[in-house]
Amino acid sequence: MSAVAESPRAAWLGATARILLPVLLALVAGGLILLILGKDPLEYYGFVVQRGLLTWAGLQESITRSAPLLLIAAGLIIAFRAGIWNLGVDGQFLLSAVAASALAPALAGSLPDWLVLLLSCLLAFAVGALWSVIPAILKARYGINEIITSLMMSFLGISFANVLVKLAFRDPATTVPQTVTLPVEDRLLRLFGNTINLGIVIALAAVVLVHLMMTRTAFGLKLQVVGANPRAALHAGLPVGRLTIATFALSAGFAGLAGAVEVVGVLGTIRADWNPAYGLLVVPLVFLARFNGWAVIAFVFAFAVLQIGGESAARRIGVPHFYVLVLVGLLLLFLAVVEYLDHLRRQRRGQ
Amino acid sequence: MDAFLSEAFLTALLYGAMTAGVPLLLAGLGEQISEKAGVLNIGLEGMMLLGAYAGFVAAYYSGSFWLGFLGGGLGGLALAALMALLCVRLGMNQIVIGIALTIGAEGLTALLHHFQFARSYPRLDEVPVLALPGLEEIPVLGPALFRHHALVYLAVLLVPLLAWLYRRSAIGLNLEAAGNKPGALDAAGVSVTRTRVSAVLATGFLAGLGGAYMANVGAGLFVPFMTGGDGFIAIVLAMLARGRPVWVIFGALLFGISLALTTALQVTGVNVPTDVVQMLPFAMVILVLVIFARHSVLPPALGLPYVRGDR
C-alpha cells in the first residue's frame, strides 16, 4: 500500500502490469533462448497453445493436470502467507502418493468406493503432514532455516518412496516395479469427457477454502501475523511455535492430497522412479498470484496448458520439456525484478 | 561379513568418499564465505550445476582438465555475478532469487545438454593423477587418499588458507563484520556492498569448481541434474561448521562416505537398491541437524540486504 493515494483505476492497472509484465518478459527471454538454439519461438508457443488449450483432448489433459498443481498451490498459499518456506513439497507429494497407491487397491472391493477414496485421501494428507514434522519442529524450537530442512526431507522422501515401491508395495504380477493398480472403475468419478475427474473439483474447492481461511478467519489472520512479523506475533501472545507446526502440517497435507488425487484420479499406480517434481514449479506461480487464491487458479491453469502443450512440443518440435524449467526460472527472476522496480517507484513517489 | 573390512572395500569406500567429498568441500567452503558476509546463497545448487556443465564443455573442447576447472569456476562465477547484482546491489530477496537461479540453471543446462550431447553422450579421457611419492605406498590409505588429480590437494590446502584468512587478515575481519554488524563496517569506511559482492563471487567460483570436478573427474561426463541436491548439502555443511573451515572438510568427508557407499558396496557384492543408499546423506543431514540443532550458528544479518541508515 502506498502512502500517496492512487486512483482505483491506476492502482488496478499497476497491479495488472506487475502481474503480466514478468510473464511477458519471461516468454520473450525464453523465446530468445529458443531462437539461439535454432527453434522458432512463435511456432513453439503457437503449438503449445494449440495443443494444450484449443483441442478438446488437450484441454481435458490441462484441466486434469491442474488438479494436483492447485492442491500443491493451496498448501503453498498457507505456508507463504504464514512466512514459512515449505520447499519439501516433492517429497511430501510422492510419499503420500505411494501411501495412497498402497491403500486404495488393498481396500477396493471390500469397502464401498467412496469410502476407499476418502480413506486414501485422508491417509495421504496425514502422510504429507507427518513428513513435515521434523522441519517444523526444528524451525519452531531452534529457529533452524526450514528451506534447507524441508528440502533435505524432500530428497529423503523421494528416495524413500522409491524404496517403498520397490521393496514393500511392489505388485508381484508386473515386471517393472510398480504398485498394485487400482481398477479404473474404482477411481475418482469422471466428469464431462473421458479424462477429467472429480480431482479438479476437490482442488478448486481446496484453493477457495484456503483462500477464505487465510483472509476471513481468525486462524488465518493469526498465521498472517506470524508471517508478517514473528516477533510482533510473539509479543501479541500468539503461540508462534505451535502455529508454525500447524502451518507446516496443513501445507504438507495439501501436497499429500495432491499425490492422492493424482493416484486415485489419474494414474491408478505408482511406478518406481516416477517423480514429476511439481513442487518447485508451483512456487513461482503462487508468488506471481501474490498468494491470492483466485489468481492462483488462473496461473496454475495457464501453467498446466504450458506443461501439457510443452510435452507434445517435445515430441513434435524437438524442444525438450526442460524448457519449461527455464521459463519458470526466468519468470521468478523477472517477478523479483518487476517487484523491485515497483518498490522503487513507490518510494520515489512517497518522498 | 569379512568383506566389509577387506582392503578393496575400504580403498573403494575412501577413494569414493574423496571423489564425492571434494565438490561438497569446495561448495561448502564457498558457501561459508557468503554466509560470513551475511548472504544466504540458496542458489548454490544452480552454481554447482552450471559449473558442472561449463566445466565439462570447457574440458571437452579444450582437452585440458585445468581449462575445464577454470571454465567451471567461471560458470559458477557468472551465476554468482547475477546474484550479487540482484541481491547485494539491488537488495532483492535472496531466497526468491536463489531458487530462481537454481531452477533456471537446471533447465538451461539440461536444455543445452539435450541439443549438444544427448545423441552422443561423450566422455572425457582418464583423469591425470598426481600420486604423492611415498604416501601413495601406504596400504589402503595410499591409493584411496594420495592418488588424485592435483586439484584435490589444492582444495584441501584451501582449508588452512581460509582459516588463516578468517583469523589473521583484514579481509577476514571485513567479511565477518559484513555479516555481524554491517553498519559498523560501513562506519569504518569499508563498503559493505563491495565486501559482500566479492564474497558472493568467491562462492560462485568455488561452487562452479566443485561442480566441474563432479562432472569431469567424478563422472567423466555431464548429466542433467547431476548435482542432485549436493548444493543444498553444502549449505548445511556451512551452517553446521559455524564459520570454521576445518569442520567443512570433516563434514564433506562424512557425507562423501555416505555418498560413496553405493559403489563400495558393489565391490563386496552386496545388493541393496541404490535408493536405500541414496537416502543416507540426506538422512545423515537431518540426523546431524536434529542432534546439533542448538549449535548451528548463523550471522545475525544473514539474508538481510544492507541499506545504509536502516535499522
Side-chain angles (χ1 to χ4, degrees):
Chain A
M1 295 296 128
S2 110
V4 183
E6 277 178 298
S7 77
R9 191 154 160 261
W12 194 83
L13 270 178
T16 315
R18 276 194 301 146
I19 285 179
L20 290 187
L21 207 57
V23 178
L24 214 65
L25 287 170
L27 290 177
V28 170
L32 284 177
I33 293 176
L34 283 184
L35 217 54
I36 293 169
L37 293 172
K39 300 283 171 186
D40 180 357
L42 291 180
E43 187 196 357
Y44 177 83
Y45 291 135
F47 185 81
V48 165
V49 173
Q50 162 69 25
R51 182 64 188 73
L53 186 66
L54 301 179
T55 64
W56 176 226
L59 182 63
Q60 287 189 66
E61 277 187 65
S62 298
I63 292 175
T64 309
R65 177 63 57 84
S66 299
L69 300 177
L70 279 174
L71 283 165
I72 290 173
L76 289 180
I77 290 175
I78 303 176
F80 290 166
R81 280 201 184 237
I84 301 279
W85 288 87
N86 174 17
L87 295 188
V89 169
D90 287 334
Q92 294 150 8
F93 171 91
L94 209 56
L95 264 183
S96 304
V98 169
S101 78
L103 184 73
L107 295 183
S110 50
L111 289 175
D113 275 352
W114 65 269
L115 189 59
V116 174
L117 296 175
L118 183 68
L119 287 175
S120 310
C121 287
L122 287 177
L123 175 74
F125 198 98
V127 168
L130 194 70
W131 207 247
S132 78
V133 165
I134 294 180
I137 290 181
L138 285 176
K139 166 82 178 177
R141 294 252 339 239
Y142 304 113
I144 299 271
N145 191 319
E146 75 279 13
I147 298 175
I148 305 300
T149 48
S150 61
L151 266 168
M152 292 293 123
M153 287 303 284
S154 187
F155 287 116
L156 189 65
I158 292 164
S159 295
F160 188 43
N162 275 327
V163 172
L164 289 177
V165 171
K166 286 175 187 166
L167 297 182
F169 304 133
R170 183 175 173 171
D171 181 358
T174 57
T175 44
V176 188
Q178 64 177 55
T179 59
V180 179
T181 309
L182 183 68
V184 177
E185 62 272 17
D186 294 328
R187 295 183 199 169
L188 283 177
L189 193 65
R190 297 283 167 106
L191 312 166
F192 313 119
N194 16 15
T195 19
I196 304 175
N197 64 62
L198 200 59
I200 186 67
V201 179
I202 299 175
L204 286 171
V207 172
V208 172
L209 278 178
V210 161
H211 183 77
L212 294 179
M213 179 188 88
M214 293 309 288
T215 52
R216 303 285 162 84
T217 68
F219 179 67
L221 190 69
K222 280 183 200 165
L223 292 188
Q224 302 230 48
V225 172
V226 176
N229 190 341
R231 215 176 290 172
L234 210 56
H235 280 299
L238 290 178
V240 174
R242 245 183 295 159
L243 287 175
T244 300
I245 293 172
T247 303
F248 247 119
L250 280 175
S251 171
F254 277 110
L257 193 56
V261 163
E262 192 79 338
V263 168
V264 299
V266 184
L267 301 169
T269 175
I270 298 290
R271 284 200 192 140
D273 300 320
W274 176 75
N275 174 20
Y278 293 143
L280 281 188
L281 300 177
V282 181
V283 170
L285 304 177
V286 176
F287 266 96
L288 195 62
R290 308 301 193 284
F291 315 151
N292 178 304
W294 308 110
V296 158
I297 294 173
F299 284 119
V300 163
F301 176 69
F303 180 74
V305 169
L306 176 66
Q307 263 207 329
I308 297 296
E311 279 165 21
S312 330
R315 294 186 291 272
R316 190 71 65 84
I317 305 189
V319 176
H321 64 274
F322 304 130
Y323 177 64
V324 174
L325 272 182
V326 177
L327 276 185
V328 170
L330 286 171
L331 181 64
L332 202 48
L333 210 60
F334 285 119
L335 184 65
V337 172
V338 168
E339 197 82 335
Y340 171 77
L341 293 177
D342 186 59
H343 175 72
L344 275 193
R345 193 178 59 97
R346 277 160 196 270
Q347 239 177 8
R348 215 166 288 151
R349 199 183 303 172
Q351 279 161 3
Chain B
M1 299 307 272
D2 283 348
F4 284 103
L5 295 172
S6 76
E7 215 168 287
F9 173 77
L10 285 177
T11 308
L13 184 66
L14 275 179
Y15 185 85
M18 286 286 282
T19 313
V22 166
L24 288 177
L25 173 65
L26 285 166
L29 288 174
E31 179 73 14
Q32 195 166 48
I33 301 174
S34 269
E35 283 183 6
K36 261 195 193 292
V39 181
L40 181 63
N41 191 343
I42 294 283
L44 199 69
E45 174 91 359
M47 292 172 194
M48 282 184 88
L49 200 53
L50 196 63
Y53 171 78
F56 174 74
V57 169
Y60 178 67
Y61 288 113
S62 73
S64 149
F65 274 87
W66 285 112
L67 284 180
F69 292 135
L70 182 67
L74 292 180
L77 187 80
L79 209 56
L82 190 58
M83 169 145 194
L85 171 71
L86 298 178
C87 297
V88 183
R89 289 287 310 212
L90 304 180
M92 292 185 199
N93 187 318
Q94 295 173 7
I95 296 166
V96 173
I97 297 295
I99 295 172
L101 293 183
T102 296
I103 297 179
E106 281 180 349
L108 192 64
T109 52
L111 195 67
L112 291 172
H113 173 265
H114 174 88
F115 282 102
Q116 280 178 291
F117 304 121
R119 290 216 185 88
S120 52
Y121 265 93
R123 293 188 77 96
L124 298 178
D125 298 333
E126 193 79 16
V127 189
V129 166
L130 174 66
L132 296 186
L135 290 172
E136 64 154 333
E137 311 285 326
I138 308 170
V140 181
L141 291 183
L145 303 184
F146 303 114
R147 279 183 210 159
H148 286 276
H149 189 273
L151 181 75
V152 174
Y153 311 118
L154 290 182
V156 174
L157 284 179
L158 201 57
V159 175
L161 179 72
L162 281 174
W164 176 82
L165 210 65
Y166 291 149
R167 286 204 174 187
R168 308 264 171 212
S169 77
I171 300 175
L173 204 62
N174 289 350
L175 280 176
E176 200 112 7
N180 283 326
K181 229 168 177 22
L185 185 64
D186 200 12
V190 181
S191 161
V192 174
T193 304
R194 195 172 301 167
T195 309
R196 285 185 173 178
V197 167
S198 321
V200 171
L201 291 180
T203 305
F205 187 84
L206 287 177
L209 200 59
Y213 182 86
M214 182 184 270
N216 295 350
V217 181
L221 76 172
F222 177 79
V223 185
F225 310 103
M226 70 184 304
T227 44
D230 273 21
F232 295 109
I233 294 185
I235 295 176
V236 176
L237 279 182
M239 254 168 77
L240 290 168
R242 305 175 69 189
R244 294 183 58 188
V246 67
W247 285 107
V248 178
I249 200 171
F250 284 137
L253 204 60
L254 190 69
F255 290 119
I257 287 178
S258 58
L259 282 169
L261 211 54
T262 326
T263 7
L265 280 176
Q266 278 162 1
V267 175
T268 64
V270 177
N271 248 332
V272 195
T274 47
D275 305 281
V276 177
V277 188
Q278 271 165 10
M279 288 167 64
L280 269 180
F282 300 110
M284 190 104 90
V285 170
I286 294 291
L287 196 71
V288 168
L289 277 174
V290 169
I291 297 172
F292 297 104
R294 266 157 287 196
H295 304 292
S296 81
V297 174
L298 293 171
L302 189 70
L304 304 174
Y306 177 66
V307 183
R308 189 180 280 179
D310 256 20
R311 289 194 65 212

